[in-house]
């Protein structure tokens, strides 16, 4: 791929790195029609190994894009977690079984699937929604970054303050060197135990015929991993603690008489270290194995040459004895020695952003890495998209750091605690204070479950979340309070289980028009729009009809909000009368199910909390904590997080409009 | 596509026609690795219109191949059926709402999807499983058929008694002429109101440069529609009644104030005829509209030129008044005038078979055509596959006609009754004997629902179904009793709700190894294997352990059956003890979860009837009507229909072996 030296072009958003964080960012760009580019230094997408647990929230997000079903079908589903440790006789035994995630959290459970497949789903999605215009450009890496600091606050449409030089590599340059022959995929080259090769790649590229080009961008997102080149250009640091624990990872088809090899297991041996079992798709099992016999050298690093599939399986055999464990087929292996670290800054002047491993590193055992990384981009992508399109005020970009840096801090606290409990020797008895109490371990697992599901994320107050309190306290310290004249505070009491700052939960409701049951969250698609969810209450009561009518009249007559309705703010209705006593065309204001002269009435926007013929009763109002008579109004952000709650009346309309005045740009 | 005249080749199965019936046949061929070919006279697959309701059983079948999820996701789901007819004031009103299918029949409900998408799922599936070896050969049609009658009973591997000359057309020859311009797809060319063009195509092809080839086949399947060329070569007739009723079909995006436009509706107007609403995907709605003003001429045929989208919508507007109904977008239209007819013969000497519209025609309104056609091939495909591979005895091929001709007869009886009730004028009152009672219509719909779901199929006794009674009485009259020395009769009382001759029903069970819930039927994949489903009962009781052990010892030591186990007869176990009190490796004989030296133990064959963490309790033993203590053994055919039921002991083993002696060829 020879590119002429003089090539120059503009784009709105330049994404560096095409791992899951970069792919998620590109997915938003494709959905929102943004002129974006995504480049990756590698010449191929990955084919084995890498992080692969998908937590509940990630599946909900995939579903909002429309491809959760593909992951759900191909993945292994993890249902049960078993804990093994020595009994009083010193022999390994199962001490506990618990559900892998608590019941009732979500329509999904935790699943495990090869990261390469997840990247495939993203690629297909990006291709479809960008109409093939946005493609991952591989074997391309940035080699210089300049930012026009003086114009970084200038959000005029023709200002591209970022200048990046990109180098195009040849395929051979871009392919990583792998140590082991062709049979076993060696993941050590991406492990933190070896040095990053980005600078080598740049130097190699400079010597050869792969050309360069200059890109001017409005925004840039560094999704370029733990060794982030982008982060280094900005001079930001990762802060945190190193660790002495060294872990090996094996993906094998196990041959074993260990009874729980198809369950997630935490195995604490008496004195040979710990092991985690993560059953995967296609008969594979991933084992995380503590390598107690490999110690860091004087530099603090482990000796790489000692780490092979053979040394790792030997360590596993000691831990899992008296059960036997061997394999004929090994798919991949690696090792790591990771502390918990968080980036000092997640953005530079609202122009350059860092997501994923570029701003947080931690151990992979908690199955959080890929999930939190994707969710960083899921948080940022729609904000960038709306600002680029001139729909939202640029000030919302500040909330990326305040919201996600706080999550990263929570993540490393969780991982720090869990890793140490998992790596420690089990206590022999209650007097053994150096050992880890297995009861403490179990409690830490159960307590961490909500966090690990991704559903405990609770963003602090800002112009995007109408919560009481201080934005600095509730986030990472950044001030992201609304610049609007008066602070809007949502009336949480009107929807007690739709928490401001948390994701909109899901219960089954029926489509008023055809009685089909839907998870209500499925109707909050990731299309870049905010939503006003109208809980219309008991619409057969004349008083409630009148309240609904007044609210809708305000919506359609508001000089500020009306031009945004259906375009950047969608409407979604759920009422609580009996479905069969209500008619869509008679009982609901037109704005809630708009008419199109070519396509007729919209039949996909009004829902009802009623019993289904085949799938039971979602009891949505009760579960959402909304009054069935009076209803309420909930505003969701494009990422399904709850921004505002208010009453279904004139006063409530004022609150809703006020919320949006703090976020959206007036349509002139 | 020029083909030299001299080209000759052999194949095991030659399929004529690539509609849904042909695709289903090809899917089996791909799954079972049969050397097959499939040809179709058209140059492209269809892009609009055509039958598109998928009944519950079709979805179960798609699921057994692994692509029901694609249909389920893209389709419109039909949940409710509404009945509209004049009230006492003569004005149209909704008289009833009923669920479109009764609750509890299946994990699926009825859905509607464009036939072209269904063909796409088949094509993808065939490609994947045949490793791209089996492809639909388009613009190819047969022009002569010779059968070596003297060798038709000779099943030696090198006998190809069928000789077919195939002609390859050019694309222009193969494309159908369409009357209406480019905007609306005119389906009349495929309607029964116009003549078939097969002979024209053959004649055109003879004049030109498209070449011919000769194929010698062991078996041939005519899936070539109502005008079946194959049927004509064999000289078989369709028998039945014509009809005077003429119906138009419109696929439109409707603009209407009719409240139930997104529900399935039967609308009986006072005197303007009837109309059926079938809501489809992508905002489309299909309307079946009785054209009362178009009468057949002296020949009994309607005047085609009078049938246009405009005349059809006008008829619809009269019926649906006082509601308004117009459209801006029409996707497709057609008209038909169909009686109910069934083929006299479904096969010729077990060598040439007819499936689908080639052997039954009826009105499309009941949504049965595509479903019954696909299910014909689903019944035949595995039988042909097993006989071609030398695994099953050729005598099983006779059961195709006895099983499916009976279903076709039931289908036209159902359609006859339903069509007449639907086409008739509604009775004004109880004294109006010429009119149709709307209560009778509702009852006919509800009674027909089980039939329409496809789940009432109940195959008669034969070597494949160990039922008591006469095979001639229970089928279409063909004698298909077992040739085995003694007739086997299943012990239905041991599994009262797993009916001999009916499809194996589905309830949720858990995988013993990982606690994941599955619909048990999902484990009866369409891989061409019979299955012995071992209901192992209370495996923690020593007596039951002993019974299970004895049964399994017989399985593994039987000279007849053991060589077939895991190869053409798979084993599937479900026990009824508590999951957590049982260990796979300790409590189950190896044959139920076999060991492979490279892949370890099989973890996907032993299940348990227990409560799940997240998806409730399937209560499978109770629902299947199986004793939780003693269990039983059920034999399913490769198409999930129940062949035999027996006890889990030595006597039961004798019954099971006896069943298979009547079906399978001994392994020498």
């Amino acid at each position: 791929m020879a590119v002429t030296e003089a090539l120059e072009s503009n784009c709105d958003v330049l994404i560096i790195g095409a791992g899951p964080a970069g792919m998620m960012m590109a997915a938003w760009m494709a959905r929102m029609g943004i002129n974006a580019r995504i480049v990756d230094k590698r010449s191929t997408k990955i084919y084995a190994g890498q992080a692969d647990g998908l937590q509940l929230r990630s599946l909900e997000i995939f579903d909002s894009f429309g491809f959760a079903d593909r992951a759900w079908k191909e993945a292994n589903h993890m249902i049960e977690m078993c804990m093994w440790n020595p009994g009083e006789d010193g022999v390994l035994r199962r001490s506990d079984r618990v559900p892998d995630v608590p019941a009732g959290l979500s329509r999904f459970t935790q699943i495990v699937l090869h990261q390469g497949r997840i990247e495939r789903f993203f690629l297909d999605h990006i291709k479809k929604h960008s109409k093939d215009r946005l493609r991952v450009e591989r074997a391309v890496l940035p080699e210089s970054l300049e930012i026009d600091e003086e114009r970084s606050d200038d959000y005029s449409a023709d200002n591209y303050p970022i200048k990046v030089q990109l180098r195009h590599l040849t395929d051979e340059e871009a392919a990583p060197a792998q140590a082991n022959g062709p049979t076993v995929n060696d993941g050590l080259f991406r492990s933190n135990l070896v040095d990053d090769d980005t600078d080598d790649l740049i130097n190699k590229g400079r010597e050869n015929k792969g050309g360069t080009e200059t890109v001017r961008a409005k925004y840039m997102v560094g999704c370029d991993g733990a060794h982030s080149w982008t982060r280094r250009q900005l001079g930001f640091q990762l802060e945190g603690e190193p660790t002495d624990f060294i872990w090996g990872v094996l993906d094998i088809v196990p041959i074993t008489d260990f009874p729980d090899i198809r369950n997630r297991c935490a195995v604490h041996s008496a004195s040979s270290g710990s092991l985690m079992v993560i059953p995967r798709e296609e008969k594979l099992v991933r084992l995380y194995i503590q390598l107690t016999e490999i110690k860091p050298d004087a530099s603090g690093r482990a000796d790489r040459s000692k780490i092979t599939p053979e040394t790792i399986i030997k360590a596993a055999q000691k831990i899992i004895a008296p059960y036997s464990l061997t394999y004929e087929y090994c798919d991949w292996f690696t090792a790591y020695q990771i502390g918990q670290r968080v980036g000092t800054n997640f953005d530079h002047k609202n122009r350059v952003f860092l997501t994923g491993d570029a701003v947080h590193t931690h151990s992979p055992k908690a199955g959080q890495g890929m999930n939190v990384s994707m969710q960083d981009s899921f948080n940022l992508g729609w904000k960038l998209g709306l600002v680029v399109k001139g729909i939202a005020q640029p000030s919302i970009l500040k909330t990326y750091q305040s919201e996600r840096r706080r999550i990263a801090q929570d993540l490393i606290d969780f991982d720090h605690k869990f890793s140490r409990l998992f790596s420690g020797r089990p206590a022999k008895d209650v007097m053994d204070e150096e050992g880890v109490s297995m009861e403490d371990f179990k409690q830490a697992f159960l307590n961490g479950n909500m966090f690990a599901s991704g559903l405990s994320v609770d963003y602090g107050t800002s112009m995007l979340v109408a919560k009481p309190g201080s934005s600095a306290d509730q986030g990472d310290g950044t001030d992201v309070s609304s610049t609007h004249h008066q602070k809007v505070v949502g009336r949480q009491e009107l929807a007690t289980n739709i928490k401001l700052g948390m994701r909109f939960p899901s219960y089954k409701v029926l489509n008023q028009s055809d009685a089909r049951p839907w998870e209500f969250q499925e109707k909050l698609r990731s299309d870049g729009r905010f939503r006003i969810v109208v809980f219309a209450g008991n619409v057969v009561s004349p008083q409630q009809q009148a309240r609904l009518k007044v609210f809708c009249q305000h919506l359609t007559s508001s000089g500020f909000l009306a031009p945004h309705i259906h375009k950047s703010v969608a409407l979604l209705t759920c009422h609580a009368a009996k479905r069969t006593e209500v008619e869509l065309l008679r009982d609901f204001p037109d704005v809630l199910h708009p008419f199109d002269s070519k396509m007729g009435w919209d039949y996909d926007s009004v829902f009802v909390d009623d019993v289904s013929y085949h799938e039971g009763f979602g009891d949505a109002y009760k579960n959402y904590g909304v009054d069935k008579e009076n209803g309420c109004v909930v505003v969701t952000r494009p990422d399904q997080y709850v921004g505002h709650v208010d009453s279904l009346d004139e006063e409530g309309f004022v609150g809703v409009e006020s919320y949006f005045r703090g976020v959206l740009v007036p349509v002139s």
Side-chain angles (χ1 to χ4, degrees), chain A:
Chain A
M1 192 190 292
V3 178
T4 55
E5 289 280 337
L7 205 58
E8 281 205 31
S9 62
N10 291 349
C11 76
D12 290 335
V13 179
L14 174 64
I15 305 164
I16 308 296
M23 295 274 192
M24 177 67 86
M25 185 60 57
W28 268 127
M29 299 299 105
R31 300 278 302 210
M32 297 179 76
I34 303 298
N35 174 17
R37 288 180 65 179
I38 174 169
V39 301
D40 195 278
K41 64 181 179 178
R42 301 280 172 224
S43 56
T44 54
K45 75 186 192 75
I46 59 161
Y47 290 107
Q50 299 293 98
D52 47 11
L54 282 170
Q55 51 169 233
L56 312 193
R57 181 59 190 151
S58 294
L59 285 164
E60 292 184 354
I61 291 170
F62 285 5
D63 200 32
S64 75
F65 286 115
F67 58 79
D69 57 315
R70 295 184 70 182
W72 192 250
K73 182 177 183 179
E74 291 187 21
N76 185 58
H77 294 214
M78 282 207 305
I79 306 295
E80 197 172 67
M81 161 86 171
C82 296
M83 298 180 191
W84 288 75
N85 44 63
E88 286 185 12
D89 56 1
V91 177
L92 203 62
R93 74 2 172 168
R94 183 195 296 119
S95 65
D96 265 305
R97 295 184 200 255
V98 293
D100 181 63
V101 295
L105 280 186
S106 167
R107 61 197 180 278
F108 297 108
T109 51
Q110 193 170 199
I111 63 174
V112 185
L113 182 64
H114 176 216
Q115 185 178 321
R117 291 303 298 160
I118 294 162
E119 294 181 8
R120 165 55 47 205
F121 307 151
F122 272 114
L123 288 171
D124 290 347
H125 188 78
I126 292 163
K127 178 174 176 163
K128 179 179 163 191
H129 285 273
S130 74
K131 300 191 175 63
D132 215 12
R133 281 194 285 264
L134 179 55
R135 293 175 190 227
V136 175
E137 302 168 51
R138 298 194 190 275
V140 176
L141 91 178
E143 56 178 22
S144 75
L145 167 65
E146 289 171 46
I147 302 168
D148 182 349
E149 304 282 350
E150 296 192 356
R151 295 198 66 196
S152 65
D153 288 339
D154 171 1
Y155 291 98
S156 53
D158 60 352
N159 182 28
Y160 295 83
I162 299 165
K163 183 177 164 189
V164 177
Q165 180 134 314
L166 294 178
R167 180 163 290 277
H168 292 247
L169 304 176
T170 62
D171 280 0
E172 305 84 68
E173 288 161 2
Q178 292 224 5
N180 297 46
T183 49
V184 177
N185 288 295
D186 175 355
L188 286 175
F189 76 93
R190 308 184 84 134
S191 157
N192 71 317
L193 295 179
V194 298
D195 291 321
D196 179 50
D197 63 350
T198 305
D199 291 338
D200 288 348
L201 287 174
I202 293 175
N203 290 334
K204 269 204 286 182
R206 283 190 176 137
E207 292 161 11
N208 79 2
K209 58 187 180 295
T212 64
E213 62 168 320
T214 301
V215 177
R216 290 175 196 277
K218 290 179 179 164
Y219 301 94
M220 176 170 162
V221 187
C223 312
D224 45 355
H227 296 292
S228 175
W229 177 89
T230 312
R231 188 187 67 227
R232 282 194 284 142
Q233 306 316 301
L234 299 172
F236 297 154
Q237 305 301 319
L238 292 179
E239 292 178 340
E241 291 178 44
T243 174
D244 285 345
F245 298 117
I246 297 169
W247 289 76
V249 186
L250 273 185
D251 281 351
I252 56 174
V253 175
I255 299 175
T256 181
D257 56 0
F258 181 68
D260 283 335
I261 197 70
R262 295 304 306 173
N263 286 316
R264 184 176 178 189
C265 295
V267 181
H268 281 87
S269 74
S271 56
S272 302
S274 299
L275 173 157
M276 180 170 273
V277 179
I278 304 285
R280 290 184 47 181
E281 72 281 13
E282 307 278 359
K283 294 177 187 281
L284 285 169
V285 171
R286 166 162 297 182
L287 301 173
Y288 291 101
I289 301 144
Q290 197 174 358
L291 302 178
T292 52
E293 293 183 4
I294 298 176
K295 303 288 183 197
D297 61 17
S299 76
R301 284 251 186 112
D303 179 355
R304 250 185 96 184
S305 67
K306 287 188 185 156
I307 302 172
T308 64
E310 291 71 30
T311 55
I312 301 175
I313 193 77
K314 273 189 190 144
Q317 286 162 344
K318 278 196 181 176
I319 298 167
I320 211 165
Y323 298 102
S324 66
L325 174 65
T326 61
Y327 63 85
E328 291 277 322
Y329 176 72
C330 177
D331 193 58
W332 185 73
F333 79 98
T334 191
Y336 63 87
Q337 174 189 10
I338 290 183
Q340 289 84 20
R341 301 193 298 160
V342 176
T344 49
N345 301 70
F346 279 35
D347 82 80
H348 175 74
K349 295 199 171 179
N350 281 349
R351 288 292 183 176
V352 183
F353 299 86
L354 299 171
T355 77
D357 291 352
V359 276
H360 40 74
T361 69
H362 50 87
S363 80
K365 285 186 303 296
Q368 295 301 300
M370 179 174 64
N371 295 282
V372 175
S373 294
M374 291 191 298
Q375 286 164 38
D376 286 345
S377 293
F378 186 66
N379 180 287
L380 175 60
W382 61 272
K383 296 173 184 171
L384 272 183
L386 288 178
V387 171
V388 166
K389 292 168 88 170
I391 294 169
Q393 299 173 21
S395 59
I396 69 167
L397 296 175
K398 283 190 295 181
T399 63
Y400 170 64
Q401 166 157 334
S402 69
E403 292 181 343
R404 296 306 300 178
R405 189 156 173 270
R406 175 61 174 262
I407 300 300
Q409 288 162 341
D410 291 348
L411 167 64
I412 63 156
D413 289 348
F414 168 77
D415 185 53
H416 183 88
K417 184 169 178 187
F418 189 71
S419 286
R420 270 150 186 76
L421 283 170
F422 192 51
S423 302
R425 174 180 62 72
K428 293 192 183 68
D429 51 45
V430 288
M431 302 300 292
D432 178 5
E433 292 186 3
E434 273 189 19
V436 172
S437 146
M438 287 298 102
E439 190 52 36
D440 286 355
F441 177 73
K442 180 182 173 186
Q443 283 310 318
F445 177 80
L446 291 175
N447 296 340
N449 236 337
M450 189 68 192
F451 180 82
S453 73
L455 299 179
S456 64
V457 167
D458 185 2
Y459 295 139
T461 180
S462 71
M463 73 290 281
L464 289 170
V465 177
K467 262 184 189 174
S470 145
S471 68
D473 289 353
Q474 294 175 17
D476 83 317
T478 313
D479 178 16
V480 287
S481 48
S482 176
T483 52
H484 186 51
H485 55 291
Q486 67 181 78
K487 182 175 165 100
V488 192
V489 176
R491 295 182 57 189
Q492 185 68 72
E493 73 277 13
L494 298 178
T496 51
N497 291 324
I498 306 177
K499 301 286 189 194
L500 287 158
M502 298 184 76
R503 74 88 162 90
F504 188 90
S506 195
Y507 299 100
K508 281 209 175 151
V509 296
L510 311 185
N511 186 311
Q512 171 65 35
S513 310
D514 65 9
R516 179 172 175 184
W518 289 92
E519 288 281 343
F520 202 27
Q521 199 192 56
E522 289 182 86
K523 295 294 159 184
L524 277 62
R525 315 296 297 169
S526 284
D527 56 9
R529 296 189 295 174
F530 286 79
R531 270 179 185 76
I532 299 175
V533 184
V534 177
F535 284 93
N538 177 22
V539 287
V540 296
S541 117
Q543 299 95 307
Q544 187 65 8
Q545 274 275 341
R547 296 178 74 213
L548 181 62
K549 205 171 156 189
V550 164
F551 185 85
C552 289
Q553 276 169 348
H554 280 290
L555 272 187
T556 48
S557 61
S558 156
F560 180 80
L561 209 45
H564 284 293
I565 295 297
H566 305 315
K567 294 186 187 71
S568 42
V569 179
L571 298 177
L572 187 62
T573 301
C574 181
H575 73 88
K578 272 197 74 61
R579 172 174 165 272
T580 53
E581 289 174 7
V582 168
E583 298 285 2
L584 181 65
L585 290 158
R586 185 191 66 202
D587 298 323
F588 295 90
D590 291 0
V591 70
L592 300 180
H593 60 114
F595 182 80
D596 178 278
S597 62
K598 288 199 171 169
M599 304 302 279
W601 294 100
D602 181 14
Y603 296 101
D604 194 34
S605 48
V606 176
F607 295 80
V608 52
D609 178 23
D610 203 346
V611 183
S612 73
Y613 286 116
H614 304 284
E615 301 180 25
F617 182 28
D619 217 352
Y621 270 65
K622 188 177 160 203
N623 282 310
Y624 284 127
V626 175
D627 183 81
K628 288 190 99 158
E629 196 60 34
N630 299 313
C632 72
V633 181
V634 173
V635 176
T636 59
R637 320 189 317 181
D639 57 4
Q640 302 182 334
Y641 286 81
V642 179
H644 185 57
V645 177
D646 221 317
S647 51
L648 182 66
D649 53 17
E650 186 165 352
E651 199 184 335
F653 171 78
V654 172
V656 169
E657 195 190 43
S658 210
Y659 171 87
F660 281 112
R661 280 186 192 274
V663 176
L664 300 182
V665 174
V667 177
S668 54

